[in-house]
Amino acid sequence: MAAYILKRLISAIPVLFGITLIVFLIMAMIPGDPATAILGAYATPENVAKINKDLGLDAPLFQRYFIWLGNMLTGDFGRSYSLNRPVLDEILDRFSATLILAGTSFVLCALIGILAGVISAARQYGWADKAITFTVLIGISIPSFFLGMVMILIFAVRLRWFPVSGMYAIYGGGDLPDLLNHLVMPAIALAAVATGVVARMSRSAMLEVLRQDYIRTARAKGVHERKVILGHALKSAMVTIIPVLGIQAGFVLSGAVYIEMVFQWPGVGRMLVDAILKRDILLVQGGVVFVAACYVLFNIVVDVAQSLLDPRIKS
């Protein structure tokens, strides 16, 4: 197992290297001059030239990339000019909020999706299967940001059950109940599509397993149906379901960007949008690389979990 984990970690290095290169080139190709955006009304030719020199923007493109990459490997992600603080400090401060939102959404999509898929497969063609399939299709068809706006209109503006935006109340609050009250709508909106995907894949995986000979043998021996479903079929189906969860984790992380904008959630996604609008290059590059690295590491964890269920994967 240690050798397999080491192999997966080594294979992640070129992936992360490619991500840094792509992010750097995209930011370099964006129209506009960062120095002009920084200076605003004070963007005289002399001031622009001075800012470009101070930030190293007057150096060749490849040289700027390797300087940035080398600094990042030592833990120096640079300094955000729009916030006047280290990029890594800002990312870590914001990431806790994103982790709460994305983590809650991922847990919801995993638990509800797998449960719905198991029930749907166990009651194939029954009323529960049809109801779950119908609900899943609706959930997959509605974009998360649109669902979020509809939820704000209904549950926040009309019914006043939940706050419109933010992570905590502006006045008072700040405790766990206040956080949960603000978390309900963005977490559900972000989890809706991923839950539908997990439910569909769980149903397909369960149906395939339930057709196997050993399942029929267990039923013929008189094993209780609940034990057949949960003790035998689900364990085998998880080998197929776990990779789907890994993919949906990436969807949840990326989807947090626009959900955080809809609900004004103070996470990394909102930080990235603000940084792009302000042309804060180092903050954008650092934020994207950090989130991508988290996703790569999570996928390694998923691969390890899958290999524990099916040792053949390590060979």
Side-chain angles (χ1 to χ4, degrees):
M1 179 56 69
Y4 177 72
I5 296 175
L6 180 62
K7 179 182 176 182
R8 294 293 293 115
L9 289 173
I10 294 175
S11 66
I13 294 176
V15 175
L16 292 173
F17 177 78
I19 291 172
T20 61
L21 182 60
I22 292 172
V23 171
F24 181 84
L25 291 178
I26 290 176
M27 293 305 299
M29 291 187 294
I30 292 179
D33 183 12
T36 303
I38 295 173
L39 293 170
Y42 301 97
T44 62
E46 295 79 9
N47 291 337
V48 169
K50 184 178 184 303
I51 290 293
N52 283 330
K53 183 178 180 180
D54 292 341
L55 297 179
L57 297 176
D58 56 345
L61 188 64
F62 73 92
Q63 184 177 346
R64 284 158 45 196
Y65 170 72
F66 284 108
I67 291 175
W68 170 67
L69 181 62
N71 291 337
M72 193 169 56
L73 291 175
T74 62
D76 181 12
F77 281 57
R79 191 173 189 86
S80 167
Y81 69 79
S82 62
L83 301 174
N84 193 27
R85 65 176 306 197
V87 168
L88 186 58
D89 291 349
E90 179 67 15
I91 293 173
L92 293 177
D93 287 347
R94 296 293 195 107
F95 187 68
S96 59
T98 297
L99 190 61
I100 291 173
L101 174 58
T104 303
S105 299
F106 179 75
V107 171
L108 286 176
C109 82
L111 294 180
I112 298 176
I114 293 175
L115 179 62
V118 170
I119 295 174
S120 184
R123 300 288 185 268
Q124 188 180 15
Y125 304 130
W127 66 267
D129 183 23
K130 294 177 181 178
I132 291 174
T133 301
F134 178 75
T135 305
V136 164
L137 288 176
I138 293 177
I140 293 176
S141 303
I142 301 177
S144 297
F145 68 90
F146 179 75
L147 177 60
M149 291 187 288
V150 171
M151 293 178 69
I152 289 175
L153 180 62
I154 297 175
F155 297 109
V157 177
R158 297 287 179 84
L159 299 177
R160 299 182 183 276
W161 289 356
F162 301 104
V164 175
S165 62
M167 188 173 174
Y168 293 104
I170 298 177
Y171 301 105
D175 52 5
L176 181 59
D178 186 30
L179 172 62
L180 294 177
N181 195 34
H182 284 78
L183 181 62
V184 171
M185 290 200 299
I188 293 176
L190 182 56
V193 175
T195 301
V197 174
V198 173
R200 291 188 65 181
M201 296 304 299
S202 299
R203 180 182 184 273
S204 300
M206 285 292 296
L207 288 175
E208 183 178 353
V209 173
L210 289 173
R211 298 189 186 103
Q212 300 299 316
D213 292 338
Y214 73 93
I215 297 294
R216 286 195 290 267
T217 302
R219 285 171 171 166
K221 289 182 177 180
V223 179
H224 195 278
E225 184 66 15
R226 181 177 298 178
K227 186 175 181 180
V228 171
I229 297 295
L230 300 179
H232 297 284
L234 181 58
K235 182 178 179 180
S236 299
M238 287 301 295
V239 177
T240 303
I241 297 172
I242 285 179
V244 178
L245 293 177
I247 296 173
Q248 295 312 304
F251 173 82
V252 168
L253 271 177
S254 60
V257 174
Y258 46 82
I259 289 297
E260 287 179 3
M261 292 303 298
V262 170
F263 289 94
Q264 292 300 292
W265 191 267
V268 174
R270 184 179 171 191
M271 178 203 74
L272 287 174
V273 173
D274 292 339
I276 291 172
L277 295 176
K278 295 176 182 178
R279 293 280 304 184
D280 197 334
I281 295 176
L282 292 178
L283 188 56
V284 175
Q285 293 175 175
V288 172
V289 170
F290 185 85
V291 172
C294 292
Y295 178 56
V296 170
L297 290 176
F298 184 82
N299 270 273
I300 293 175
V301 174
V302 168
D303 290 342
V304 172
Q306 189 181 16
S307 68
L308 292 174
L309 291 174
D310 188 0
R312 294 173 299 177
I313 296 175
K314 291 184 291 185
S315 58

